[in-house]
Amino acid sequence: MPLWSWPCSPCRFQWHLEEVGQELGADGSINIPRIIAAEAETSMTPTEEMNGSGNLMDFLDEPMPDVGTYEDFHTIDWLREKSRDTDRHRKITSKSKESIWEFIKSLLDAWSGWVVMLLIGLLSGTLAGVIDLAVDWMTDLKEGVCLSAFWYSHEQCCWTSNETTFDDRDKCPQWQKWSELMTGHALGGGAYVLNYFLYVMWALFFSFLAVTLVRVFAPYACGSGIPEIKTILSGFIIRGYLGKWTLLIKTVTLVLAVSSGLSLGKEGPLVHVACCCGNLFSSLFSKYSKNEGKRREVLSAAAAAGVSVAFGAPIGGVLFSLEEVSYYFPLKTLWRSFFAALVAAFTLRSINPFGNSRLVLFYVEYHTPWYMAELVPFILLGVFGGLWGTLFIRGNIAWCRRRKTTRLGRYPVLEVMAVTGITAILAFPNPYTRRSTSELISELFNDCGALESSQLCDYINDANMTRPLDDIPDRPAGPGVYTALWQLALALVFKIVITIFTFGMKIPSGLFIPSMAVGAIAGRIVGIAVEQMAYHHHDWIIFKNWCRPGADCVTPGLYAMVGAAACLGGVTRMTVSLVVIMFELTGGLEYIVPLMAAAVTSKWVADAFGKEGIYEAHIQLNGYPFLDVKDEFTHRTLATDVMRPRRGEPPLAVLTQEGTTVEDVEALIKDTDYNGFPVVVSRESERLIGFVQRRDLTVAIKTARQKQDGVVSNSVVYFTEDAPQLPASNPQPLKLRRILNLSPFTVTDHTPMETVVDIFRKLGLRQCLVTRSGRLLGIITKKDVLRHMAQMMNQDPESIMFN
């Protein structure tokens, strides 16, 4: 590659000229051909390198399995991974011209990405369908059992009954409540108390089983998983977080946690489950298993598949991965994400877990258009969503911080049991909190037709009405509606409070559904209020132009949907992907503007109190090294203010290109915990040559001792092209040129930190060396950047570590 086409060539140009300083003429002119020749010399093939170095380090011609890999809780080098993949692809392309078999292997390599996407879509869609069916059955199991087939849920049991009437569609002889099965009485105070007691016991049993399985078998299976997924996709290594045990335990305990009735959802954890599937299948192909950068492309697509099956929104899933979780999202990942989301949605549709030929339980269709005057309550719902998001984030983070810093965190099982007991005891008396949250949202979204039997649809009908069933005019609210309103008000307060304490416990817990439930309840209450105002005061100026007596003006279910979008946006700060997900839920283009207005308003209001969403807040709470591309850095500091070592600190630990023994290198590795070491010409000149990773050094020395005769502690280590001739009495030298990175990223000491932060974000660097006129001054790591940014925002800089 020509010198002038390197990324950020001004940053590299100076020290590279120093390295080939002899190519400068007496008048300071640059001998370009000789510089290019020097560059070509530094990029010799392995064969050429070995020819110039005798028999030194012959074993490096063979690939070493651990060179180029990363330790747990470390950050990957995106540039290094990209370079390795480019070299791998170039090698495959050149070999494909040698024989038919090599050409077929190159085709298989090209198609391996699509095969992985297909497998991810099939497995994540299947797991989502199984989870939906299991949750439906176990949720109903808390209230009763189907006598004809105990594995049937309440709805499935009554579907198969020939004795079910339309008016009593939820009642059938085959389905019996626990009191009816045990005592023969379905009604009465004793039956109510027995059903109440068994409801609480089942909830406690499910939650106890969930938290025990997580604690014993897979501690990483707790929580939502999205904060950790975002951190992993940014380049951080968390071994086991996407492993097989985590996948199995997360799937099982997710069913148990949702079925227990806790205020949590399965949508966020489904992203974690899908990413576990992606990690599982990527390990089958060396293209992805041996390259952490390529693996993260697969995980980005898997996250899209997870949202696709969670909401039945393939396009929304792709946009969610792009907007919310992915750090590096090239165009080919966009196409593969779309394919994985498509396959996952098709698989879930084939299973049909809800029996309605839809991908989600709360699919709705509205038949009434919205009117311009309704933008006012829609925007007010957006304000409510932003305020709720702020309240939830601050309350939940304060509780989670208390959990981490007090004795409360030592008793996760006790905490889960206590919250479950309180939730079950308070939820049972209210029919809107007793049922599953997904069923609650489904009822709140529904438009009241002539066939609806919900309390929310208990309107006073006109006996002379002869309108179509899908065009029922606005009517006065009946007693059932007013009863439902105060029950919904109590449910709203309950959901707001209990969700703050539920999210973050040591069980799988998603946030999408509880947030949508809060917004849907508030939206339905506002919708009914606007509907009744329009009916009783149709002569008001705000209603006169668009709401005539006897017309179907207001759809309360639409307000519930807008409120759900507003609250979810206020908590997560999602915008584009949120609107598309909600649009795919309803299937109507007509309601995009209300959704956009509510989503934007909720984000504006929430951002006024704090820029970070709930996932970024949990990333910061846990101290993950995540450099958010959304954060702005506007402070006037320089690289020299951030680099290490600083004044009063020990000098930078470096290696020289020659003269260091194996014993010296091993002592340096033992005495320090740095992830890598700069290599300089000498300690006097400190002119930079390159950078070597700690793990690569350790593996190379260990392998050399095993495979190369004569390598002892007194052997001299060389990072040069050619080792000098040594007396025969000296021990065999060790050449480590192959593991040396000859083009580490460098900046000068006067580079603005705004530029350095931008470089770390866009290139995904682990570290950056600071030089002046080719002389090494210090090093800036990703954690140094994060600590400096925290310090500039008056936060604790020492919180930036893996806690």
Side-chain angles (χ1 to χ4, degrees), residues 455-461 475-485 532:
Q455 267 191 324
L456 289 168
C457 298
D458 184 22
Y459 290 92
I460 300 175
N461 293 312
R475 298 156 290 168
V481 174
Y482 290 111
T483 301
L485 281 177
Q532 294 305 301

Side-chain angles (χ1 to χ4, degrees), residues 38 53 154 169 173 178 185 214 395 407 445 464 483 730:
S53 56
H154 188 177
R169 70 193 77 174
W178 292 112
H185 300 288
V214 167
R407 296 179 61 185
F445 279 11
N464 298 322
T483 301
N730 284 22

Side-chain angles (χ1 to χ4, degrees), residues 95-311:
K95 279 190 173 183
S96 65
K97 302 174 184 178
E98 298 176 359
S99 65
I100 295 295
W101 173 241
E102 293 294 338
F103 178 73
I104 294 174
K105 286 171 65 176
S106 69
L107 291 180
L108 293 175
D109 179 80
W111 276 95
S112 61
W114 297 102
V115 174
V116 171
M117 296 302 117
L118 176 66
L119 296 174
I120 291 172
L122 291 173
L123 183 56
S124 58
T126 303
L127 289 177
V130 171
I131 289 172
D132 287 335
L133 291 171
V135 166
D136 197 21
W137 171 65
M138 294 180 67
T139 301
D140 288 341
L141 191 64
K142 293 185 297 182
E143 298 188 44
V145 67
C146 185
L147 299 181
S148 58
F150 73 91
W151 57 88
Y152 279 174
S153 66
H154 188 177
E155 190 175 19
Q156 292 170 329
C157 188
C158 291
W159 278 348
T160 59
S161 174
N162 296 323
E163 304 174 39
T164 306
T165 63
F166 180 78
D167 292 333
D168 295 325
R169 70 193 77 174
D170 292 332
K171 298 178 182 178
C172 56
Q174 285 81 6
W175 178 266
Q176 289 190 358
K177 293 186 176 180
W178 292 112
S179 61
E180 187 177 1
L181 184 65
M182 294 179 178
T183 65
H185 300 288
L187 303 174
Y192 181 85
V193 170
L194 180 58
N195 287 329
Y196 199 157
F197 174 76
L198 290 175
Y199 179 92
V200 174
M201 289 298 104
W202 276 112
L204 291 172
F205 173 70
F206 290 156
S207 62
F208 175 76
L209 200 56
V211 70
T212 303
L213 288 173
V214 167
R215 190 179 185 190
V216 174
F217 295 104
Y220 284 152
C222 67
S224 166
I226 292 182
E228 288 76 14
I229 296 297
K230 285 176 65 103
T231 307
I232 289 172
L233 290 180
S234 74
F236 197 55
I237 301 287
I238 307 180
R239 303 281 182 207
Y241 197 83
L242 303 176
K244 302 179 185 67
W245 269 109
T246 305
L247 172 61
L248 176 62
I249 299 301
K250 185 101 178 186
T251 303
V252 174
T253 54
L254 179 57
V255 174
L256 293 167
V258 175
S259 302
S260 68
L262 287 165
S263 184
L264 48 83
K266 59 182 182 296
E267 281 66 23
L270 277 176
V271 176
H272 187 186
V273 168
C275 286
C276 288
C277 298
N279 186 65
L280 174 67
F281 290 122
S282 64
S283 64
L284 303 179
F285 298 86
S286 60
K287 176 180 179 180
Y288 298 107
S289 62
K290 295 182 178 180
N291 191 297
E292 294 292 343
K294 297 293 291 181
R295 186 196 298 268
R296 275 150 182 77
E297 294 180 20
V298 173
L299 297 181
S300 293
V307 176
S308 173
V309 294
F311 289 104

Side-chain angles (χ1 to χ4, degrees), residues 542-557:
I542 57 173
F543 300 117
K544 186 182 297 184
N545 295 330
W546 58 276
C547 191
R548 304 181 311 275
D552 185 11
C553 303
V554 180
T555 306

